[in-house]
Amino acid sequence: MTSTSIQDGHPVETDEQFRVRLRAFLADNRPGRRPKDPAERLSWQKAWLATLFDAGFAGPSWPREYGGMDLSFAQQVIYQEEYARARVPRPLGTGLGIAAPTIIKYGSPEQKERFLRPMLRGDKVWAQGYSEPGAGSDLPALRTTARREGGGPDDPDAEYVVNGQKVWNSAADIADILFTLVRTGPAGSRQEGISYLLIDANTPGVSVRPLRDLTGDAHFCEIFFTDVRVPVANRIGEENGGWPLVRTSLGHERAAGAMNQAALYRRVLDELIELAHERGATADPLVRDRLADFEMRVRIMRLTGMRTIADIMAKGEPGPASSTSRLFIVTFEQELHEFALDLLGGYGILDRNDPHAVQRGRWVWGFLRTRASSIGAGTTEIQRNTIAEQVLGLPRDPSMPSAGKSR
């Protein structure tokens, strides 16, 4: 039995006590069945995030002063495991794991007070505006411009006028705020002329168009900016100083994904093993060998996620090693869904609208969805370059953009 420790004269909750309390809260406050109507579903998700925040169960790694839990390393791991196990709604948008660490590190006190709590509570949904049609993995080539008007650098009434296009933007169709990279320097200035700008998605001149993918859903959008006026006060960090913020954002994006995906795929693999049993496939030694391989890899994924959390807590940044977890997860989830379709045989060509589809076509949908995994958050080629140059110390390929200047 684990005893309760004492700190500053008060009892301190043990890791096991925290797990029990969190599990009980998630079970007692489960929000019910997911609505089919998109507007109702959005309200349902926001209500759940508000419930988490108001009860003190939001932001496991966030500082307490911004509404977070500021959990220890061990309890952050427990949080991710229990959250995935409970099958409750996931956070909306992409702000929590990407924009929030950037604002916490680089934002002014006024910006932190204005933006962080509404983001964590789900009152405001955030979406990323980084990639462009001609600047995806080579992000410093972006061409969306922000021209300053109406005063000097410290003029509170000054504005940027933004023009350009972004693409592959998750949740932009439901977003309230777009955290966006814009070119404030001259053409050709690459990473030296990039600024980090927060744009109200309801500003005149902002147009969002959903993009339908292989699954039949619209997980991504493209965004068009036409003479969009944005207060200079919405810039995070210095003008033309946005590139270090990008590195923070992308590093935390991959780090957050590592532990979340590890917890998620622990459950998904258990369900795949159950599917193999149901179809009588586990009598085949080759099937058992593949399942054992996936079991080892999902455990490695968990340990890598734990290491990344430890690095962030110790150094404040996940570092280039976060690219190793991103590449590992991409390969894992694609191969897992390919194997699932092999198990299904002919049923592996039936989508979720077919009445004969196995488990409502979830494995087919997962297979189609993960085709894009090797592109999102930086292509696998870019991840390999980053690992080679910044983790292994290998010489840079002169024919490729530097890993320090790429996504």
Side-chain angles (χ1 to χ4, degrees):
M1 179 179 294
T2 305
S3 60
T4 302
S5 61
I6 302 295
Q7 181 176 324
D8 297 330
H10 300 283
V12 177
E13 188 175 44
T14 67
D15 294 344
E16 188 56 35
Q17 288 170 339
F18 172 71
R19 184 186 294 275
V20 170
R21 182 167 65 91
L22 175 60
R23 182 177 294 184
F25 173 83
L26 295 173
D28 293 343
N29 293 275
R30 190 181 301 276
R33 186 178 295 275
R34 180 176 182 264
K36 293 183 179 180
D37 178 77
E40 292 179 4
R41 185 164 60 247
L42 179 60
S43 297
W44 172 78
Q45 290 175 285
K46 285 190 170 186
W48 167 249
L49 295 176
T51 297
L52 277 180
F53 182 91
D54 294 345
F57 281 107
S61 64
W62 282 42
R64 291 187 183 275
E65 61 186 300
Y66 308 125
M69 302 176 74
D70 199 17
L71 295 179
S72 67
F73 165 75
Q75 291 186 356
Q76 286 189 47
V77 173
I78 291 170
Y79 185 98
Q80 299 296 346
E81 291 174 342
E82 292 300 319
Y83 201 94
R85 176 182 176 276
R87 299 194 186 196
V88 289
R90 298 171 67 84
L92 283 165
T94 54
L96 291 182
I98 312 176
T102 305
I103 295 173
I104 289 172
K105 182 172 182 178
Y106 294 101
S108 68
E110 294 77 13
Q111 289 170 334
K112 294 174 185 178
E113 182 65 27
R114 177 183 172 192
F115 293 117
L116 289 175
R117 285 179 178 270
M119 183 199 304
L120 185 56
R121 195 175 185 273
D123 297 329
K124 298 291 184 181
V125 180
W126 290 54
Q128 183 186 74
Y130 283 12
S131 295
E132 299 183 5
S137 294
D138 185 19
L139 196 53
L142 67 87
R143 292 178 293 180
T144 294
T145 60
R147 185 184 74 256
R148 181 195 287 270
E149 286 189 357
D154 300 321
D155 187 341
D157 297 323
E159 293 180 315
Y160 289 111
V161 179
V162 180
N163 285 279
Q165 178 186 359
K166 300 292 181 178
V167 74
W168 310 126
N169 313 107
S170 301
D173 54 330
I174 61 170
D176 301 293
I177 298 176
L178 307 169
F179 55 104
T180 311
L181 300 180
V182 295
R183 182 157 306 286
T184 46
S189 56
R190 289 186 64 82
Q191 72 271 21
E192 302 300 329
I194 291 175
S195 295
Y196 196 105
L197 201 59
L198 307 183
I199 301 177
D200 185 330
N202 297 309
T203 305
V206 177
S207 177
V208 177
R209 180 169 22 179
L211 296 171
R212 197 165 298 280
D213 60 28
L214 280 173
T215 67
D217 295 331
H219 296 283
F220 305 104
C221 303
E222 54 185 345
I223 307 170
F224 298 89
F225 301 111
T226 305
D227 293 332
V228 178
R229 306 190 79 86
V230 183
V232 169
N234 280 22
R235 189 191 67 230
I236 307 297
E238 298 297 322
E239 184 170 288
N240 297 329
W243 189 247
L245 282 67
V246 177
R247 305 296 292 178
T248 294
S249 289
L250 293 177
H252 279 274
E253 177 183 10
R254 293 159 189 161
M259 200 62 222
N260 293 343
Q261 293 292 82
L264 170 66
Y265 275 111
R266 172 69 276 165
R267 173 170 59 79
V268 171
L269 179 57
D270 289 342
E271 293 166 351
L272 180 61
I273 293 171
E274 183 179 346
L275 176 67
H277 280 298
E278 290 174 356
R279 303 188 70 81
T282 52
D284 186 338
L286 294 179
V287 170
R288 295 199 302 272
D289 183 68
R290 289 297 303 279
L291 292 173
D293 176 64
F294 288 134
E295 177 66 32
M296 288 185 287
R297 288 158 73 180
V298 82
R299 295 188 186 192
I300 291 171
M301 195 186 302
R302 178 178 181 272
L303 293 172
T304 302
M306 293 170 65
R307 182 182 66 179
T308 303
I309 291 176
D311 285 345
I312 292 174
M313 295 186 72
K315 307 171 188 176
E317 294 284 352
S322 63
S323 290
T324 64
S325 64
R326 171 66 187 160
L327 184 60
F328 187 88
I329 290 170
V330 165
T331 304
F332 173 85
E333 64 182 3
Q334 288 185 340
E335 292 183 6
L336 181 140
H337 284 95
E338 290 168 3
F339 176 73
L341 262 58
D342 287 342
L343 277 182
L344 294 177
Y347 288 92
I349 63 173
L350 303 180
D351 69 18
R352 55 188 170 177
N353 296 317
D354 193 294
H356 302 291
V358 175
Q359 296 181 0
R360 299 182 179 179
R362 60 166 291 193
W363 300 104
V364 180
W365 182 89
F367 169 81
L368 294 174
R369 181 187 61 80
T370 55
R371 295 305 89 193
S373 298
S374 49
I375 301 174
T379 66
T380 53
E381 291 83 1
I382 291 297
Q383 305 304 326
R384 290 188 175 98
N385 281 347
T386 301
I387 293 167
E389 295 173 25
Q390 299 191 26
V391 179
L392 301 179
L394 299 178
R396 185 174 72 86
D397 181 351
S399 68
M400 296 295 292
S402 169
K405 299 180 181 179
S406 65
R407 215 182 149 188

